[in-house]
Amino acid sequence: MNKTSVLVVDDSAFMRKLIAGFLNESGTCYAAGTARNGEDALEKVKALNPDVVTLDIEMPGMDGLQTLKRIMEGTPKPVIMFSGMTQRGADLTIQSLQMGAVDFIPKPSGAISLDLHKVRDDLIRKVEMAGRLKMETITVGGRDRPYNEKKTSRLNSSRKVICIGTSTGGPRALQQVLPKLPADLNAPVFVVQHMPEGFTASLAARLDTLSHLTVKEAEDGELVKKATAYIAPGGTHMKVEESKSGLVIRLSRESLNTAHRPSVDVLFESLSLIKNVHKIAVIMTGMGSDGSEGLKKLKKSGSLHAISESEKTSVVFGMPKMAVETNAVDAVEHLEDIADAILKSVQS
């Protein structure tokens, strides 16, 4: 088996040594080289031609975002960002994912994390995944200018809902779907994006500036409004329930025996219990099978139109592939066509 070669970019010599050590001990990947700053990274990407680049977001001089932009413009590679857990770190992380980075690793305790071993397994898993990606699926797309006008959202009374599940590559995919939906969308949108706690608020804020819809991080107990997209908070399950006043969001941090929190299955299963509502379910890029079991339950509940992202445009064709294999999917669409497919189902 060929090992995945990695260029490790970090301004801290300690962090470079630690990350390279984790890679070299893995048996599946190795550090082909290290770089101390952005300029050094650009030279070594060309010289070493690594399969994957790990890139620190906050560096002096040419920072991680500038370096990422230059890599994607010059010699595109799958890039995994190392991010701080601060608000600034979260904001920069979301920008990097929408600029073409395939994933990120939060540093547990800041720029020099002595406890980086806590994310060692996550790092190895993501590097292995990144090494298998097709670069043509890792593109920067979607609107990058803000919409300033939004219509006032009203309580949802349309009896139609849209639910979206995604993981690796999801922030970029969401940036190509949500901004294409109109301000008078006659349905709410519920989104589960696999992401740790502390990052989904930045994701929602970024998507809100780019969209006609109101996009927000979901809150426990809030009544659902149409033309609003609700992002499940990182580390928290999101369910939707029927109440006398309309649909209401319920958040929970219980494990529920799921591999992910938030879980697409948990969202879909909660919606399957709501009667007399037409559901449009979308599964986009991501590893694993989250969403497939929930999709089957939605199908049994009736009045479902299910859409899966195509293999051609998926950064990782895991979740969409497993969704198709349930035989509950009605249409397979390229990423750029998913918003139109959603609108057709809402309007039908």
Side-chain angles (χ1 to χ4, degrees):
M1 180 183 72
N2 292 329
K3 293 183 179 182
T4 302
S5 62
V6 186
L7 174 65
V8 178
V9 185
D10 199 295
D11 62 308
S12 161
F14 173 78
M15 293 299 291
R16 293 196 299 273
K17 182 177 180 180
L18 199 59
I19 295 167
F22 291 159
L23 296 170
N24 292 334
E25 293 164 3
S26 69
T28 58
C29 44
Y30 68 98
T34 62
R36 66 187 183 279
N37 55 40
E39 292 84 353
D40 191 19
L42 295 176
E43 292 178 5
K44 288 183 176 173
V45 165
K46 291 181 180 178
L48 300 174
N49 192 30
D51 299 317
V52 178
V53 177
T54 68
L55 178 58
D56 190 26
I57 283 187
E58 299 195 57
M59 299 185 295
M62 184 187 294
D63 66 16
L65 289 188
Q66 294 170 314
T67 306
L68 173 65
K69 184 173 186 292
R70 293 278 297 276
I71 290 173
M72 299 307 289
E73 289 173 348
T75 314
K77 296 288 178 185
V79 177
I80 298 172
M81 308 301 291
F82 268 91
S83 163
M85 296 288 286
T86 62
Q87 182 62 55
R88 171 177 162 77
D91 292 344
L92 293 175
T93 298
I94 298 305
Q95 288 184 52
S96 73
L97 294 174
Q98 293 173 327
M99 288 170 60
V102 298
D103 216 325
F104 72 100
I105 306 283
K107 289 182 176 179
S109 54
I112 299 179
S113 290
L114 299 175
D115 54 354
L116 198 68
H117 64 274
K118 292 179 180 178
V119 297
R120 178 189 180 280
D121 292 345
D122 200 28
L123 167 65
I124 301 305
R125 179 176 61 84
K126 290 180 177 182
V127 166
E128 291 171 350
M129 174 275 298
R132 296 192 295 267
L133 298 184
K134 306 186 297 289
M135 277 310 301
E136 56 264 30
T137 65
I138 307 171
T139 57
V140 182
R143 183 181 176 87
D144 60 4
R145 296 183 303 279
Y147 285 120
N148 295 318
E149 295 184 13
K150 298 177 188 288
K151 291 193 176 180
T152 302
S153 300
R154 299 189 177 184
L155 289 179
N156 181 52
S157 57
S158 68
R159 306 306 291 177
K160 294 181 179 180
V161 299
I162 300 157
C163 46
I164 299 174
T166 187
S167 186
T168 306
R172 179 193 67 97
L174 290 169
Q175 189 178 344
Q176 293 211 38
V177 174
L178 294 185
K180 293 180 182 178
L181 300 177
D184 59 353
L185 182 69
N186 196 27
V189 183
F190 304 103
V191 178
V192 168
Q193 161 70 55
H194 292 164
M195 194 167 274
E197 186 175 0
F199 291 86
T200 43
S202 293
L203 174 65
R206 172 73 174 162
L207 290 169
D208 184 63
T209 66
L210 303 177
S211 303
H212 292 295
L213 303 176
T214 295
V215 184
K216 68 187 298 291
E217 194 176 45
E219 299 174 60
D220 186 51
E222 68 178 313
L223 284 170
V224 171
K225 296 179 179 181
K226 61 185 180 181
T228 302
Y230 300 92
I231 310 284
T236 305
H237 290 306
M238 177 170 66
K239 297 181 181 181
V240 182
E241 298 177 353
E242 186 101 67
S243 74
K244 291 181 180 179
S245 303
L247 298 181
V248 64
I249 289 174
R250 297 296 181 196
L251 301 180
S252 165
R253 293 181 64 85
E254 55 189 324
S255 66
L256 300 179
N257 295 316
T258 59
H260 302 279
R261 193 175 64 200
S263 163
V264 184
D265 281 330
V266 169
L267 171 64
F268 284 10
E269 288 170 20
S270 73
L271 288 168
S272 74
L273 302 176
I274 300 174
K275 307 302 179 185
N276 303 315
V277 171
H278 178 61
K279 296 110 179 179
I280 299 109
V282 183
I283 297 285
M284 299 196 298
T285 175
M287 286 190 291
S289 62
D290 191 22
S292 294
E293 289 302 314
L295 201 59
K296 288 190 280 188
K297 293 184 180 181
L298 280 173
K299 192 73 171 179
K300 287 182 182 177
S301 73
S303 193
L304 170 72
H305 183 73
I307 301 166
S308 173
E309 185 180 353
S310 70
E311 181 175 9
K312 181 180 178 181
T313 62
S314 294
V315 173
V316 182
F317 191 58
M319 286 167 54
K321 179 175 184 288
M322 297 303 291
V324 169
E325 291 180 0
T326 67
N327 294 317
V329 169
D330 300 291
V332 176
E333 303 282 358
H334 295 333
L335 178 60
E336 60 270 22
D337 299 322
I338 287 177
D340 285 341
I342 291 171
L343 282 174
K344 285 179 183 176
S345 186
V346 171
Q347 294 164 356
S348 65

